[in-house]
Amino acid sequence: MKRTILTLVLTAACISAQAQISELVRQGNATQLMHGGKPFIILGGELANSSASSGEYLDSRDTWKYLAESGVNTVLAPVYWELIEPEEGRYDFSTVDYLLKSARANGQKLILLWFGSWKNSMSCYAPSWVKRGFNSEFELAANSDGSIPEIMSAFSERNVRADAKAFASLMKYIRKADGSEGTVIMVQVENEIGMLGDARDHSRLAQNAYNSPVPYDMMYMLTSGKANDHINDVWKAAGKATTGSWKEVFGSSLEADEIFMAYWYARYTERVAAAGKAEYDIPMFVNTALNSRGRKAGEYPSAGPLAHLMPIWKTVAPSIDIICPDIYDKGFASWISQYATADNQLFIPEVRQEPENGARVFYALGHHAAIGFSPFSIDNMPQEKDYPLKKAYELLTPALDLIAEKQAAGKIYGMLADATEKETVLTINGIDFKCRHDLTLGWNPEAEDPDKWGETAVMIMDMGNDMYLFMGTGVVTTMSPADGRGRVGIERIDEISFDDYGKMQKIRRLNGDENHQGRHIRIPFGEYGAQLLKVYRY
Ligand code: DGJ
């Protein structure tokens, strides 16, 4: 009897520790980050690059308090190779301890960012014992003109072993220090990987690989139809050879060079990620510097986990669970759509910190069922109480369980509007919801000035029984039957808040001026709100 009870207790303890370890699980229509037995949506913020090097620095600025007040539930914080392994094989995890302790004390989850071999292409976070061995024991990449950037070569066995060993030690440490609590919910491997200065590494080791046969897994990806149009086009233009060196199979072009490098970057990253996962198996991702502003390979961090190279990364780096975009350019909606694919659930670990993020988070969660959203340099976000992201996170926080449920059920939709893309029609249950930027009404004096428009967004959740929950900012919506027969009317609209348990509470009935005498449902520009609509047909 005693033994049975003991077994039961131990099993329960095991299950509960297990439940704390996060994992990515396909649930209905979305892949979700499961934590503590339920989906967890990340309302995140990434610390500025140097902030996590000093606990005193963060504390002196009251960072944790400020993050909690901002509605952030997850902090993305770097772990620096140079600090955790100051001498080869001697580890110092005090910066990690500080993060764990502070995050727990302040009710935050953590996503740790491994600043290992590469940070924005460069290798500035390599420890001094690695740096001092550059060009002897450790290898750097080389440009075609013979210049040597401070970029560790993806072709060096010594490089990848050192990085993988350090990363494995970090993951082992996190498992021991945090495996039962699960404060760390994901880990980013390296940061914005990619070759700069040239589309490919021309070092001796790289040239050897370049002149060697294209490896089997890459060839198989091509011949089994698993590549995308971009890769296929480069292959086709070079004659579609099924064996041969990289030049023989892909020809000589910037695009071909980038494909070659993507394979080797992905392979290196896989070695590092797999070594870490062998110690502690939690979700891992890579982040991507975009090929924006018409730049050519070599001008942006080339061969990183970019959308046009995704099949290579997915094939060669299976330990990487998701590929994530960092958005610092115009065109938020179009960039993120490239990273929201059937086999890649969207997570945005970095987006330039700007007021528009208050709208974008609704769109990312609603339209793409994103796992989460995280503006960069969150510790330097403006402190005003009603800064847009704070308003958005405040509104979203108590609704996250509902949002996760609707994401899995495929019953959530989203639209984003700006001065050029003013309107989107979402068809739900045979009803066209025509969602427009609120300034299209022309009621607000700011409508005159296109520079004042800013981005606005709404998510719509199908609640069943003719009810639709709208959450967002600056969007006005009218409804009509998708088949053009009859009309869709507003039976009622209630302004809603959520209690601490996520249960909807009615604030007030919205009618009259608030819904333009029954003509539309509207969350005005500059305001953030939740409104529950019930429609009828006549
Ligand atoms: C993207 C990088 O991933 C970040 O670490 C940071 O360097 C920003 N760019 C720019 O500040």
Side-chain angles (χ1 to χ4, degrees), residues 22-327:
S22 54
E23 52 178 345
L24 288 166
V25 179
R26 187 77 196 169
Q27 311 236 92
N29 281 268
T31 297
Q32 300 191 304
L33 181 69
M34 298 299 289
H35 181 72
K38 61 178 204 158
F40 182 84
I41 294 180
I42 296 159
L43 299 182
E46 180 166 326
L47 297 179
N49 285 168
S50 302
S51 305
S53 67
S54 161
E56 290 80 31
Y57 171 81
L58 285 172
D59 288 344
S60 72
R61 304 177 84 218
D62 262 345
T63 307
W64 296 95
K65 185 166 163 268
Y66 165 70
L67 291 172
E69 283 168 5
S70 306
V72 167
N73 64 19
T74 303
V75 180
L76 282 74
V79 173
Y80 317 94
W81 189 6
E82 63 173 339
L83 295 188
I84 68 146
E85 196 180 5
E87 287 166 34
E88 188 167 14
R90 182 173 74 76
Y91 296 99
D92 172 358
F93 291 112
S94 50
T95 46
V96 178
D97 283 337
Y98 166 82
L99 290 171
L100 287 173
K101 189 178 83 228
S102 308
R104 286 176 193 155
N106 292 280
Q108 296 288 335
K109 294 292 170 198
L110 281 174
I111 292 178
L112 297 180
L113 318 171
W114 173 235
F115 284 12
S117 293
W118 299 300
K119 159 71 176 66
N120 301 27
S121 299
M122 309 305 289
S123 298
C124 52
Y125 283 97
S128 63
W129 55 271
V130 174
K131 284 183 175 165
R132 286 174 183 279
F134 281 165
N135 276 338
S136 53
E137 190 183 350
F138 297 97
E139 304 273 349
L140 290 174
N143 291 325
S144 52
D145 64 5
S147 59
I148 308 285
E150 199 189 55
I151 297 177
M152 289 172 71
S153 174
F155 300 88
S156 154
E157 184 61 23
R158 180 69 177 108
N159 289 3
V160 69
R161 279 191 187 207
D163 187 333
K165 190 164 163 250
F167 185 63
S169 303
L170 170 66
M171 294 308 294
K172 183 175 176 182
Y173 187 79
I174 300 170
R175 174 171 56 77
K176 279 200 184 144
D178 190 50
S180 58
E181 296 223 19
T183 313
V184 180
I185 53 173
M186 291 212 278
V187 172
Q188 176 187 294
V189 186
E190 313 292 345
N191 190 87
E192 293 197 345
I193 298 162
M195 186 66 191
L196 263 186
D198 243 317
R200 83 177 150 90
D201 180 353
H202 287 78
S203 65
R204 182 184 48 86
L205 292 172
Q207 283 302 127
N208 284 347
Y210 186 65
N211 294 326
S212 301
V214 173
Y216 172 77
D217 49 353
M218 181 73 185
M219 225 44 260
Y220 181 73
M221 186 195 80
L222 288 172
T223 53
S224 61
K226 292 199 167 67
N228 58 12
D229 288 351
H230 168 75
I231 299 165
N232 280 330
D233 287 350
V234 178
W235 184 39
K236 215 157 105 194
K240 266 189 129 179
T242 52
T243 54
S245 68
W246 288 86
K247 192 168 164 187
E248 285 160 351
V249 173
F250 290 103
S252 308
S253 65
L254 285 180
E255 291 77 15
D257 284 355
E258 193 184 31
I259 288 171
F260 162 72
M261 280 307 292
Y263 178 85
W264 286 98
Y265 270 131
R267 225 166 118 144
Y268 188 109
T269 308
E270 171 61 17
R271 294 265 306 268
V272 175
K277 276 203 165 169
E279 294 296 344
Y280 188 34
D281 188 359
I282 58 173
M284 294 191 182
F285 67 91
V286 285
N287 64 334
T288 312
L290 300 176
N291 50 334
S292 52
R293 290 171 270 137
R295 290 172 296 171
K296 294 194 164 53
E299 294 167 355
Y300 59 84
S302 311
L306 289 138
H308 64 282
L309 303 167
M310 214 187 267
I312 301 177
W313 278 82
K314 290 277 178 193
T315 304
V316 183
S319 299
I320 297 297
D321 299 288
I322 40 175
I323 291 179
C324 308
D326 290 348
I327 315 287

Side-chain angles (χ1 to χ4, degrees), residues 508-529:
R508 56 178 173 155
R509 173 63 46 89
L510 294 177
N511 206 340
D513 288 348
E514 277 63 56
N515 69 0
H516 198 18
Q517 331 330 301
R519 291 186 186 87
H520 64 211
I521 171 166
R522 173 183 183 225
I523 305 171
F525 187 62
E527 293 180 23
Y528 288 75

Side-chain angles (χ1 to χ4, degrees), residues 1-14:
M1 181 64 177
K2 258 192 191 159
R3 183 178 292 174
T4 320
I5 292 173
L6 185 67
T7 315
L8 282 175
V9 170
L10 287 176
T11 314
C14 233

